[in-house]
Amino acid sequence: MNYLKFTLFLVIFSIATVKYTSAQVTVGVYSNGILTQLGAGTDPEKEFFGEGRLFAGDVLNPFFGAEAIGQYNFHRSDWYNASAGLMLGYYEFDDGARIGAPVMLAFKPISNHRAFSIMMEATPLYNGDFGLRGNFGLRYTIGKN
């Protein structure tokens, strides 16, 4: 039942964050070939931004998981952004918390539509054991001109 409290916290946090970030929110879908994540977050063009993710399970992986990610953009340009940050999460499969340090590259390939980006992410993880997760995804910023 702890994951329900965590999910409620993420929903309330996301609503509060969207209210105070000039109505710009990002939505994304990420995959590493095994797990798929659905995300929503704040404006990724700001110096600091955040995102909440839920694991979208299927028949092979029906387990629940949620993550909260805080990122710092150390390079922003018209064509790509590079950022790094901290990730805290819960995953039902291994019954516990996990912590990570995601490093992301967001490519904006369409010159007259910068709200769309292609994401690549590498995250060193710790949940009792060390691991490395690589994600590929698509992200769209709603409300961006």
Side-chain angles (χ1 to χ4, degrees):
M1 277 304 180
N2 287 335
Y3 62 87
L4 291 176
K5 291 178 186 176
F6 186 71
T7 302
L8 181 61
F9 169 76
L10 281 179
V11 169
I12 292 170
F13 176 77
S14 297
I15 291 169
T17 304
V18 168
K19 180 174 173 67
Y20 296 106
T21 58
S22 304
Q24 287 192 347
V25 64
T26 61
V27 291
V29 62
Y30 310 94
S31 180
N32 63 10
I34 298 171
L35 298 173
T36 300
Q37 299 170 327
L38 304 174
T42 62
D43 185 1
E45 296 299 321
K46 303 260 187 208
E47 185 176 15
F48 292 97
F49 66 96
E51 185 174 39
R53 294 183 185 174
L54 295 176
F55 290 91
D58 61 11
V59 174
L60 295 177
N61 185 18
F63 303 104
F64 174 81
E67 295 178 349
I69 300 172
Q71 291 284 101
Y72 170 72
N73 265 322
F74 56 86
H75 181 78
R76 291 176 282 180
S77 74
D78 286 342
W79 290 101
Y80 71 97
N81 291 355
S83 62
L86 182 65
M87 179 274 295
L88 299 172
Y90 171 81
Y91 189 51
E92 191 177 46
F93 178 73
D94 55 15
D95 291 325
R98 58 171 57 183
I99 188 167
V103 176
M104 285 192 234
L105 285 174
F107 297 98
K108 301 174 264 184
I110 305 171
S111 63
N112 57 355
H113 198 67
R114 298 289 185 201
F116 172 75
S117 60
I118 298 170
M119 308 291 302
M120 289 191 311
E121 173 187 293
T123 305
L125 294 170
Y126 179 76
N127 63 346
D129 291 323
F130 287 99
L132 181 65
R133 176 181 72 194
N135 278 345
F136 178 79
L138 303 173
R139 181 170 69 191
Y140 188 80
T141 303
I142 300 169
K144 184 173 180 167
N145 296 333

